Amino acid sequence: MSDPMTLNQRIVLASRPVGAPTPENFRLERVALPELAEGEVLLKTLYLSLDPYMRGRMSDAPSYAAPVEIGEVMTGGAVSRVERSLNPRFQEGDLVVGATGWQSHSINDGRTIVPVPSGLPSPSMALGVLGMPGMTAYMVLMDIGQPKSGETLVVAAASGAVGSVVGQVAKIKGLRVVGVAGGADKCRYVVEALGFDACIDHKSPDFADELAQACPKGIDIYYENVGGKVFDAVVPLLNPKARIPLCGLIASYNASEAPSGPDRLPQLQRTLLTKRVRIQGFIVFDDYGDRQPEFVSAMAPWVRDGKVKFREDVVEGLEQAPEAFIGLLEGRNFGKLVVRVAKD
């Protein structure tokens, strides 16, 4: 059984944000761990994943998943090490991944954790290129995007966990790939390190014109992670029968009121109708969870052979998670954002 004197450090939702989250919306607590029951395992968190969807879970507005309640541990995927086990499926020292939340330890019945794939350069990759972001990129691009060699794909947040993989897979499939990112360093990385054909800085005052110049044959697939002005610039460039996988809208996650300016919905509706554009949202594990082996069998060799590269932005210490998450929503991270909670 577990040591009842062992303390769990956890970050809970202290209050619901209005607009952008602030440090006051989070609270760091220390609580004693209960004893293990038969069939349970005690987990020590090594790496915590920080992802944009967590902003939605801080709100009690209707959504596809239940919100985090006030006083509850913030939700999140993590790589953990089994410290103690009363479950025959897991041994002490095993590395597992699951949605165990923003905390240093957790107790699990074994039904919502799976082993970390062996042979990874870092176990944290199970939270990124070989985890939920990589699966989101690959499965949705292939299923909703339906890429065809010679087409043009544009992906927003191109240096991020999802966008970087989308673009590289599209290049493998023979597409012209144009990324959108924030800042010269990110754009340079996307082109020089990841092999995109071009990357446009959305901070540029001439962003819309520069995007049009980079897509002389229009846009066949737009993988949407951002929304806002990037989407506005994409819409006029869409080709007939273009496909838009709708992954995220991070530009509006902190919005507390409707955007100002003219109503662009009628123009968008007309474009979707006359160009027969397909736009589709998804929930990756609900829609593609049973196809995870298909994703791993495709992605793992590409990662091993260096055809798909991946960058992590690692923050040290669980107590830094709130500030890192706030920065994520502002675009301050460079690559997949993870928190190293303990040494692996």
Side-chain angles (χ1 to χ4, degrees):
M1 60 183 67
S2 63
D3 182 355
M5 299 304 294
T6 300
L7 293 180
N8 177 30
Q9 184 173 257
R10 64 187 191 182
I11 294 176
V12 304
L13 182 64
S15 59
R16 300 201 185 280
V18 178
T22 68
E24 290 69 33
N25 296 132
F26 306 92
R27 183 171 67 248
L28 178 64
E29 297 181 341
R30 291 177 175 85
V31 296
L33 290 168
E35 296 183 356
L36 286 185
E38 193 66 33
E40 292 183 331
V41 293
L42 171 64
L43 303 176
K44 182 175 183 178
T45 304
L46 303 181
Y47 294 95
L48 168 67
S49 176
L50 296 181
D51 300 284
Y53 77 84
M54 296 171 179
R55 175 61 182 85
R57 301 290 179 85
M58 298 176 74
S59 169
D60 58 2
S63 186
Y64 63 89
V68 177
E69 297 297 335
I70 302 299
E72 280 189 348
V73 177
M74 281 291 298
T75 187
V79 167
S80 304
R81 182 174 59 232
V82 176
E83 295 287 281
R84 296 176 182 268
S85 177
L86 296 180
N87 186 314
R89 292 176 50 223
F90 299 96
Q91 305 299 316
E92 292 183 13
D94 286 352
L95 296 183
V96 298
V97 61
T100 52
W102 295 25
Q103 52 187 345
S104 64
H105 298 79
S106 60
I107 291 177
N108 193 282
D109 63 8
R111 290 182 292 181
T112 59
I113 54 175
V114 296
V116 170
S118 60
L120 299 183
S122 169
S124 61
M125 293 177 72
L127 301 172
V129 67
L130 290 174
M132 181 272 289
M135 184 170 171
T136 299
Y138 176 80
M139 294 306 307
V140 175
L141 173 63
M142 300 305 295
D143 186 61
I144 300 176
Q146 298 181 359
K148 302 174 183 64
S149 181
E151 291 187 324
T152 296
L153 174 140
V154 172
V155 58
S159 67
V162 174
S164 63
V165 177
V166 168
Q168 291 179 87
V169 172
K171 286 298 297 180
I172 291 172
K173 296 299 179 180
L175 281 72
R176 173 175 172 79
V177 176
V178 178
V180 175
D185 289 343
K186 290 181 178 180
C187 287
R188 188 179 306 111
Y189 166 77
V190 165
V191 173
E192 296 180 359
L194 302 184
F196 287 32
D197 295 286
C199 188
I200 311 304
D201 185 353
H202 66 72
K203 298 179 181 179
S204 169
D206 300 317
F207 167 69
D209 290 338
E210 292 172 3
L211 181 65
Q213 292 171 13
C215 303
K217 296 183 179 180
I219 298 172
D220 299 293
I221 305 171
Y222 173 52
Y223 198 107
E224 174 64 289
N225 292 313
V226 173
K229 68 177 184 180
V230 178
F231 185 75
D232 291 343
V234 164
V235 169
L237 306 177
L238 292 172
N239 287 331
K241 296 188 178 181
R243 289 84 69 197
I244 304 177
L246 183 54
C247 178
L249 298 165
I250 196 170
S252 61
Y253 285 172
N254 289 333
S256 56
E257 58 185 26
S260 59
D263 181 6
R264 295 184 290 275
L265 180 59
Q267 177 187 2
L268 172 61
Q269 291 175 319
R270 180 174 178 82
T271 299
L272 298 179
L273 173 62
T274 59
K275 292 188 175 181
R276 294 158 289 169
V277 174
R278 177 185 181 187
I279 182 169
Q280 183 176 334
F282 62 92
I283 307 300
V284 66
F285 287 118
D286 287 357
D287 296 333
Y288 303 105
D290 60 341
R291 297 171 64 182
Q292 190 166 17
E294 175 186 342
F295 153 68
V296 174
S297 65
M299 188 63 64
W302 288 337
V303 173
R304 183 181 61 244
D305 297 341
K307 292 183 178 179
V308 171
K309 300 178 177 64
F310 196 71
R311 177 172 178 146
E312 290 183 324
D313 191 337
V314 181
V315 175
E316 299 288 344
L318 179 64
E319 67 280 2
Q320 301 300 322
E323 186 60 37
F325 177 67
I326 291 169
L328 170 70
L329 297 176
E330 297 173 352
R332 282 190 257 146
N333 63 298
F334 195 162
K336 174 70 188 84
L337 185 59
V338 295
V339 178
R340 187 170 9 230
V341 180
K343 293 182 178 180
D344 56 355

